[in-house]
Amino acid sequence: MSSQASPVKVFIRIRPTANFAHELIECPLDQQTLKVRSRKDSNKGKRNNQLSSWVFQLNGVLDNVSQEDTYDRVARSVVLGAFAGYNGTIMCFGQTGAGKTYTMTGAAETYKHRGIIPRALQEVFQEVEHRADHTFSLHLSFLEIYNETMVDLLSSIKQGKSSNSGVLTVIEEPGGGVSVKGLSLHLVHNEEEALNLLFEGEMNRIIGEHALNKHSSRSHCIFTVHIESRSRTLSDAKYITSKLNLVDLAGSERLSKTGSEGQAQMEAMYINKSLTFLEQVILALADSRREHVPFRQSKLTHALKDSLGGNCNTVLVANIYGEAAQIEETLSTLRFATRMKCVQTKPSINEHVDPVLQVRRLEKEIQFLKEELSMCNTLTNRVGVSNEILSETQVEEVRTQVQRYLSGLLDEIPIVSITQIQEVFAQFKKVVLEQQKKLREQLGPRNTRVEKAMNTTPSTVAEGSVGAVGEVESCGYGLGLAKSSQKHQRTVSPKPSKARKDKQISRKEGAASQPPVENTTVQAEQPLNLSESDMTTHEPQQQAPEQHRTDSPPPKAEAFEDFKAERGSEINRILKENKAVLSERTTQLRILTDVINATKRDLDYITYELRQFRERKQSQGQFVSAEGQPVLEEAELSLVIQLKELKNRYRQAYEDFRSTKTEVSYCQHLVNQCRTRLLTAFERWYNQSFLFPDEVLSVLETGPVRPGHIPVDKALTLQSDGLLHKLHADSTVSFYNAYNRTLKRRGSRQVSRSPESVRGSRSKTKLPILSVI
């Protein structure tokens, strides 16, 4: 395993079939090349016998290969590399029903049909037994991404540790990797425990049925093995960690072939959407000129950020059909595999330092150096020298020596120790800072007078410029004004009336054909003080084309109020309603916060009283019954009942608080969205009504609609709790025992629940909030 950049390894596995299209798909003997031919479709619907051929160069082609050989060629090197500290990822991609889940998990009918994940777990624990000079800590996690919602498939097992019991979120780590906050990690000690967790998660996966696959995976799953290794023989604080991601992607679907409808159709749309985002990420990674890679477009690409072009050894298994009916999907999968082969990853050893052990080692080293320095001072007859931190008396003595040295009373400062030299430099620094402070205080009044003189100069000049502007305007020109005078004129202009707006429009129409005035810098905006005769006199002159701009447009604040009352009334109404709902939810959240705080104070008080009561009871003696059991007094029993009621009230209030907080975030999102839409519509209306010329307005009215108005994608909540996967086992002891325990747990559940009833258990209350489309 190299720490330098290395390309992603890509293997093709062909699903065995009795109708293999030998005339379209050819596998040469080198087992690294695949040739595909396809007939061109005629545009006029006529039969076309012309063939197009493609040649794909890959790391390996797996045709009629057993599960064991597949694991040896694809996964063994990645699994062994994890023990050296390298992250690894193995993922399966392809059309639905092409054999991805069979490759990753395998069939439980016979032991030899196990997939990559069970064989990887067996390899991991065999390596743990062989490497006796290291101690290992192994944790497992199982993540499902269903309809862009992340689910912990092992959440039903309570032994795992989790950083958060709420919604799962992908977070960025300081080293550039990612992790899923809230995903439970389960410590395992042997292969049987690991297989038990694997089968538990497989039971909780969501599967469905369509024309191409009776057991189609409806979600993406990431099974992760976290490995931590520490040396038994070395005493240093270093240790290595690694992460092994085993990814089973949901298959891409073409609805015309699968015939999916209803819920299955919506699932297929989410699957195809996430796989499209995955392909966009691969295209961006393969292009060295791209600076941005859109990892955050979907939960899948964000969760696999370090697996796609990051610190990881990545292997892709592309599963394809060998039948002629699926040749188009086969070509699409092979093109994706070719793009994936162009992606470069940068695997490196994940080496860490234990801070506790590092501090202990440094403390021992410091103590050893002190003893060695003390011995050196003794041998050189420097008995009185101390290397400890200077006391206050010693610091004052050093300060006095520095003052005497600066005043010329002392020729040199004797060097005693390193700490004394450091203190001498610190005293010199204090002296320099004090001198700088005194100098700034002395120059302060002078700088203040200079600043006042500079501030008065521009105002005088501005007054003179305003007078000059008035003289120019009285002559009827209004050209070549300074920016300050323009700002002043815009401020004092009254809002033009409707009749004057009509006059301006008529003058615009009359002056549209006139050539513009050259050498004109800025046109002043000022009130129109000319009479009708003056207007008639000046219209034929050269300045006539600019007369329609002498009146300024209405201020944006007033125009915005008019827009909200007329053109933008609908958006403004939706914004007000959303604000009202947000205010209501915010008030409810504030009330729940007060309730939780008050309940917490009561809990602390009752707990304190109960502890004090029991301490007094222990000092005075405790009553026991005839059977020797302790008897609760009435006061103690009352405190225990109150404590129980407060705990229940706290839990209920906290659940309401979390739900309300989610609603507040969603309401705030809608309010921001409506506000942005309202301001965007107003800016467009304002520019077209007052600022744009007639030529531009005509183009805007007849031209295409400008892009940028994207409908709001509303967040979908998880509406499904999972279909249970039926497995059968005939295996060795660990495999068989783990599967039997899974069957027992499954027997205690209601397996016969329909997908609709299971999905209904995860539904959430919809908010009565309007959204802008």
Side-chain angles (χ1 to χ4, degrees), residues 91-141:
M91 66 173 66
C92 287
F93 175 89
Q95 183 187 3
T96 178
K100 298 179 298 300
T101 303
Y102 177 79
T103 301
M104 291 303 302
T105 308
E109 298 174 356
T110 56
Y111 180 71
K112 67 178 182 179
H113 289 166
R114 293 174 304 154
I116 291 178
I117 297 179
R119 294 177 187 273
L121 293 176
Q122 181 184 10
E123 184 91 24
V124 165
F125 285 99
Q126 287 178 355
E127 284 295 317
V128 169
E129 293 179 0
H130 294 161
R131 304 188 182 215
D133 56 341
H134 286 76
T135 60
F136 292 92
S137 176
L138 302 177
H139 291 82
L140 302 182
S141 64

Side-chain angles (χ1 to χ4, degrees), residues 588-589 592 651-661:
Q588 185 179 357
L589 184 65
L592 287 173
R651 292 191 189 98
Q652 182 62 35
Y654 185 73
E655 291 296 329
D656 297 340
F657 172 81
R658 289 177 52 193
S659 176
T660 306
K661 188 176 181 181

